[in-house]
Amino acid sequence: MSRLLLVNGPNLNLLGTREPDVYGTTTLADVEQLVTETAAAEGLQVRAVQSNHEGELIDAIQGAREDCAAIVINPGAYTHTSVAIRDALLATELPIAEVHLSNIHRREPFRHHSYVSDIAEVVVIGAGLHGYGYAVQQLARVLRGA
Ligand code: CA2
């Protein structure tokens, strides 16, 4: 069975504990459960990683090349700063889905640029928890070639 790597970046471990007006009441466990269930319905397995450390995220992304068919990533604030995460994603040569819980284009100008969007097959922004599910469904379609 093919596998997805789910990557969540810095501070996403805090989901559901603060800033509910921006990020809702969803927890990281909710995100990982939704992705796992949505992927299972598409015949896909999931490996989930969350880290507050850029290098750990890069190691996980590099590892995906070994045994994953695609990557779902919310890079958190590294979205707007990290050429290194972009390079790691590119090096995998895997299809990428970028997810943001909030609509980054309605927020501060420094959140408007993403180093990932132009290399992603799928971008889902501002759909909250559901965005991760949509991203999995779209990636599954890409993997089926449909
Ligand atoms: O909207 C998103 O998903 C973001 O990737 C979330 C990042 C932010 O830096 C991006 O610009 C947009 C921040 C995640 C922080 O999550 C928290 C959750 C609860 C409390 C505090 C932070």
Side-chain angles (χ1 to χ4, degrees):
M1 193 187 271
S2 298
R3 182 179 294 116
L4 299 181
L5 178 67
L6 169 65
V7 182
N8 280 294
N11 296 311
L12 287 159
N13 56 312
L14 298 178
L15 280 178
T17 67
R18 281 173 238 162
E19 299 194 51
D21 46 321
V22 182
Y23 299 116
T25 54
T26 297
T27 65
L28 181 62
D30 295 332
V31 169
E32 293 180 351
Q33 185 180 345
L34 176 78
V35 168
T36 301
E37 289 175 1
T38 309
E42 300 284 353
L44 298 166
Q45 292 182 332
V46 175
R47 180 164 69 242
V49 175
Q50 187 278 328
S51 177
N52 296 323
H53 305 278
E54 191 173 18
E56 282 184 12
L57 295 167
I58 290 166
D59 288 344
I61 292 165
Q62 288 184 5
R65 192 164 179 166
E66 305 301 316
D67 61 354
C68 293
I71 299 175
V72 178
I73 184 166
N74 181 346
Y78 288 141
T79 305
H80 321 297
T81 64
S82 182
V83 176
I85 287 177
R86 175 192 173 92
D87 286 347
L89 290 167
L90 273 173
T92 66
E93 300 182 336
L94 296 174
I96 308 297
E98 175 188 10
V99 179
H100 295 287
L101 293 155
S102 63
N103 179 356
I104 56 177
H105 299 293
R106 273 180 71 173
R107 300 184 65 189
E108 305 95 322
F110 63 81
R111 295 187 202 274
H112 295 181
H113 178 259
S114 166
Y115 278 101
V116 176
S117 294
D118 68 307
I119 62 165
E121 295 281 338
V122 178
V123 179
V124 187
I125 290 174
L129 171 67
H130 305 293
Y132 285 87
Y134 303 145
V136 170
Q137 289 171 339
Q138 287 298 326
L139 269 186
R141 211 188 301 273
V142 169
L143 291 174
R144 286 196 300 269

